[in-house]
């Protein structure tokens, strides 16, 4: 992520949900409107922004990779996003690759190079350290792919979280063999008023400004942003750069309701 991650109440709720699924070795469903932060929370939980390049390109190692090994050891989690045309065979192969590479990284953290003896290497190589698989964009999964995930869950005792849009829990209810194994369902909600104010204060500081809810102009700005974004984190992240652009073009110092309306006019805002 290009910007510093902001820990919101919804992210903490997601973390508690993921921890419960992982501890319980069960299946969890996470659903919520587009743009509220589900994928960001999943990536943060799995430390995927740190590990993605290493696990994807699997190139030469460097000393800095030790930090990634340690992060993967803490999370014991694999994040997987199927493509639109992912087949069950592709899902199986890509998931196996991600789990194998994650296990190798965790092994490197637990027993750095040179500390593994020939006697222990074979035993360690057969171990699976991954405790949780998170599948984003789960609506893309076909019935055969769901059955493959259920089979892996049953055989390997790896917890599973599926992330998608509202209605995901109803969609999977049509597959009783899979749905009967679901232990938790978590609704990821938009930012509340207090959280929106907290996030705004962080962004105002990054612009070198102070946000005062008691000031009439700031109060108008807060209300305008709440009306435009409706607590949708993605819309909020898209709106802020446009506000900065309007301020710069017009050589303004104060973020007013008019500035926000001008910034909104440059965005294509869909239904959230």
């Amino acid at each position: 992520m290009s910007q510093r991650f902001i820990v919101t109440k919804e992210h903490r709720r997601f973390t508690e949900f993921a921890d419960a699924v992982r501890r319980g070795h069960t299946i969890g469903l996470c659903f919520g409107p587009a743009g509220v932060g589900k994928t960001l929370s999943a990536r943060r939980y799995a430390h995927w922004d740190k590990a993605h390049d290493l696990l994807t390109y699997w190139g030469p190692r460097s000393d800095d990779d030790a930090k990634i090994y340690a992060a993967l050891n803490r999370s014991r989690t694999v994040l997987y996003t199927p493509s639109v045309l992912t087949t069950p065979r592709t899902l199986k192969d890509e998931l196996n690759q991600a789990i194998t590479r994650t296990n190798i990284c965790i092994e490197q953290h637990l027993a750095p190079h040179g500390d593994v003896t020939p006697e222990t290497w074979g035993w360690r190589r057969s171990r699976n350290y991954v405790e949780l698989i998170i599948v984003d964009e789960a609506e893309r999964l076909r019935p055969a792919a769901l059955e493959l995930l259920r089979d892996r869950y049953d055989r390997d005792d790896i917890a599973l979280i599926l992330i998608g849009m509202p209605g995901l829990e109803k969609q999977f209810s049509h597959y009783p063999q899979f749905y009967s194994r679901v232990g938790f369902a978590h609704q990821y909600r938009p930012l509340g008023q207090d959280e929106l104010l907290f996030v705004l204060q962080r962004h105002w500081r990054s612009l070198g400004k102070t946000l005062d809810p008691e000031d009439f102009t700031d109060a108008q700005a807060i209300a305008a942003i709440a009306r435009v974004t409706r607590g949708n984190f993605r819309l909020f992240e898209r709106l802020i750069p446009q506000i900065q652009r309007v301020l710069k073009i017009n050589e303004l110092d104060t973020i007013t309701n008019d500035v926000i309306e001008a910034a909104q006019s440059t965005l294509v805002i869909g239904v959230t």
Side-chain angles (χ1 to χ4, degrees):
M1 289 171 283
S2 60
Q3 297 183 348
R4 185 177 178 182
F5 187 86
I6 299 176
V7 178
T8 63
K9 181 173 66 175
E10 284 304 309
H11 173 71
R12 292 189 182 279
R13 291 180 65 239
F14 177 88
T15 299
E16 293 172 358
F17 158 72
D19 285 342
V21 172
R22 183 175 155 192
R23 285 193 304 266
H25 300 281
T26 186
I27 296 176
L29 303 179
C30 174
F31 53 92
V36 293
K38 304 183 299 296
T39 299
L40 290 178
S41 285
R43 293 179 69 90
R44 175 79 170 188
Y45 185 86
H47 298 288
W48 216 243
D49 289 304
K50 296 179 181 178
H52 175 268
D53 288 348
L54 186 150
L55 294 175
T56 301
Y57 304 113
W58 207 239
R61 295 294 182 267
S62 68
D63 293 339
D64 292 338
D65 291 340
K67 297 178 182 178
I68 300 175
Y69 301 156
L72 289 173
N73 178 62
R74 290 194 299 273
S75 71
R76 303 288 177 105
T77 299
V78 164
L79 176 64
Y80 177 75
T81 304
S83 67
V84 175
L85 300 178
T86 293
T87 63
R89 179 175 291 277
T90 301
L91 183 146
K92 179 181 178 181
D93 293 342
E94 291 179 345
L95 205 52
N96 283 341
Q97 182 185 80
I99 291 173
T100 298
R101 291 179 176 181
T102 301
N103 277 326
I104 292 173
C105 291
I106 294 173
E107 178 62 37
Q108 287 294 312
H109 173 76
L110 297 176
H113 183 68
D115 294 347
V116 181
T117 66
E119 292 76 17
T120 61
W121 179 245
W123 172 75
R124 287 180 178 273
R125 287 280 290 180
S126 65
R127 288 198 59 185
N128 173 48
Y129 297 98
V130 174
E131 299 174 354
L132 174 64
I133 298 171
I134 300 177
V135 180
D136 198 10
E137 304 284 358
E139 298 93 342
R140 298 174 177 176
L141 297 176
R142 302 176 185 178
L146 280 176
E147 186 62 21
L148 188 150
L149 288 174
R150 182 186 70 83
D151 183 69
R152 177 136 210 171
Y153 166 78
D154 288 341
R155 291 176 184 273
D156 298 341
D157 196 29
I158 300 179
L160 177 66
I161 290 177
L162 303 182
I163 297 177
M165 295 286 287
L168 182 74
E169 72 286 7
K170 297 177 182 178
Q171 174 186 339
F172 290 151
S173 66
H174 299 300
Y175 309 106
Q177 285 278 45
F178 182 92
Y179 199 69
S180 64
R181 289 162 172 78
V182 174
F184 296 94
H186 172 71
Q187 182 178 3
Y188 205 111
R189 299 174 298 209
L191 295 172
Q193 184 66 26
D194 291 341
E195 281 192 301
L196 181 63
L197 179 60
F198 171 75
V199 174
L200 279 173
Q201 288 172 331
R202 294 283 297 271
H203 280 280
W204 251 244
R205 284 199 298 269
S206 70
L207 297 175
K209 305 180 185 302
T210 301
L211 182 67
D212 180 10
E214 300 300 323
D215 180 86
F216 179 75
T217 301
D218 286 354
Q220 273 194 320
I222 294 170
I225 291 176
R227 182 180 66 253
V228 170
T229 65
R230 286 171 282 177
N232 187 287
F233 200 84
R234 185 180 298 159
L235 288 180
F236 178 83
E237 292 293 316
R238 289 169 54 202
L239 182 65
I240 293 299
Q242 295 304 320
I243 291 175
Q244 291 178 275
R245 174 176 168 273
V246 172
L247 289 175
K248 183 177 180 180
I249 291 175
N250 295 279
E251 299 181 349
L252 299 172
D253 292 325
T254 304
I255 301 175
T256 64
N257 187 45
D258 290 337
V259 169
I260 294 167
E261 289 182 358
Q264 176 192 358
S265 67
T266 66
L267 297 178
V268 177
I269 299 179
V271 176
T272 60

